[in-house]
Every structure is written in C-alpha cells, then in structure tokens.
C-alpha cells in the first residue's frame, strides 16, 4: 500500500518515525529528484569547463595567441556577468541555468568571431539584430511562472546582452 502525505512539513521526522517500523519504507520523490538534478548540475558545470577549454583550444589553433584570447573574452565575460547578476538576484543555481550558460557561451564566441571577421557596420547590425531577437524571445521566457522556463529565460537574456556589449567593446576597429 502507498500512503501519500500531503503538506508534510517535517519530512526528516516522518522518515525517522517510519524507518523503525518493519516493512515500511519512506519515499521522498521531491528530494530524490532534487538530488538527481543536483548531480546533473554538477556534471554540466564540469562539461561547461571542458567545452570552454576545447573552444579556447580551437581559437588558439585558428588565431594567434592574443587574438584567440581576445575572441574568447566576450563569452567568458558574458558568463561571469550573468552569474554575478543571478547572484545579485539571489537566484539559486540550477541545472537549467548551467545548460543555458552553454548557449550563452556559444553565442558569445559567435558574436566575437563575426565582429572580428566582419569588421564593418553591417556585421555589427547583423549581430545586433540576432542578439535582439534572442533577447526578446528568451527575455519573455524570463516572465514565466514555471521555474525552469524562467531560469532558462533570464540566464540566456542576461547572457546574450552582456556578451553582445562586451563583443562590441573588444571588436577590432576597422
């Protein structure tokens, strides 16, 4: 038999009480799912570091040392500023924030490469329009009442705005 406990405000006390009864098992699905998502968040964090390392290695192969570093700055700064902003907003870091930061990383490097190679006003306009549509679409998700959708929305919205601003600031002058 299964007994559902609605409004359980002291799960540890209930767990301790039922564990002494033979044949009774306490299952806290919310805690179990939270633990699994926490593990995925930790793995995704390490994956983020691996992806950043591979991306920097690719940039170093393609560009000279200083140019590669300068091309990676918008993505790194965008991620750092996004994390700082989320911290100031007292957002608890979830798996969905970390996965969204992978998107910010890719867009940040894209913006920097397009602005480095384009070096023209049309290139800036193209990146600006791309950033604007991304900012609007993900920014609207940030108003969602569904927590994971909201976390994706605010993370990508802040991330693309910051990476765009930094990419424009560090782009080479034509």
């Amino acid at each position: 038999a299964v007994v559902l406990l609605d409004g359980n405000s002291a799960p540890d006390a209930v767990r301790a009480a039922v564990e002494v009864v033979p044949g009774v098992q306490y299952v806290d699905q919310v805690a179990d799912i939270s633990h699994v998502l926490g593990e995925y968040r930790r793995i995704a964090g390490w994956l983020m570091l691996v992806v950043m390392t591979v991306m920097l290695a690719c940039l170093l192969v393609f560009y000279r040392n200083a140019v590669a570093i300068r091309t990676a700055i918008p993505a790194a700064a965008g991620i750092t500023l996004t994390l700082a902003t989320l911290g100031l907003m007292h957002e608890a870091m979830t798996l969905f924030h970390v996965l969204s930061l992978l998107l910010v990383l890719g867009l940040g490097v894209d913006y920097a490469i397009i602005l480095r190679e384009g070096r023209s006003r049309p290139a800036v306009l193209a990146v600006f329009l791309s950033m604007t549509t991304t900012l609007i679409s993900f920014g609207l998700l940030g108003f969602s009442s569904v927590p994971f959708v909201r976390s994706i929305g605010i993370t990508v919205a802040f991330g693309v705005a910051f990476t765009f601003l930094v990419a424009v600031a560090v782009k080479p002058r034509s």
Side-chain angles (χ1 to χ4, degrees):
V2 174
V3 177
L4 297 176
L5 301 176
D6 191 25
N8 182 5
S9 59
D12 292 333
V14 173
R15 180 186 298 273
V18 299
E19 284 181 347
V20 296
V21 179
V24 176
Q25 182 179 6
Y26 181 80
V27 177
D28 186 352
Q29 283 189 315
V30 172
D32 293 344
I33 291 170
S34 293
H35 175 73
V36 168
L37 289 177
E39 280 299 305
Y40 287 162
R41 182 189 66 227
R42 186 184 63 76
I43 292 167
W46 284 108
L47 178 64
M48 170 77 84
L49 291 175
V50 169
V51 169
M52 289 173 80
T53 303
V54 168
M55 202 170 279
L56 184 58
C58 290
L59 288 171
L60 285 168
V61 167
F62 193 78
Y63 293 116
R64 298 179 314 275
N65 291 343
V67 174
I69 300 296
R70 196 168 169 158
T71 305
I73 286 173
I79 289 171
T80 303
L81 291 169
T82 301
L83 288 171
T85 303
L86 293 173
L88 290 172
M89 294 172 59
H90 302 289
E91 281 283 319
M93 189 59 51
T94 67
L95 170 65
F96 303 106
H97 288 99
V98 177
L99 294 175
S100 299
L101 288 173
L102 284 168
L103 180 59
V104 170
L105 175 65
L107 289 171
V109 171
D110 285 349
Y111 293 169
I113 290 172
I114 292 167
L115 292 174
R116 170 160 301 286
E117 297 300 324
R119 296 186 187 187
S120 65
R121 290 181 58 183
V124 174
L125 176 63
V127 172
F128 174 75
L129 293 175
S130 172
M131 181 275 307
T132 303
T133 57
T134 305
L135 182 64
I136 290 169
S137 59
F138 282 94
L140 289 174
L141 291 179
F143 291 105
S144 175
S145 60
V146 179
F148 84 90
V149 173
R150 181 180 179 279
S151 65
I152 292 169
I154 61 173
T155 303
V156 175
F158 282 125
V160 297
F162 290 138
T163 55
F164 172 76
L165 293 173
V166 175
V168 169
V170 301
K171 90 175 193 61
R173 304 296 172 229
S174 342

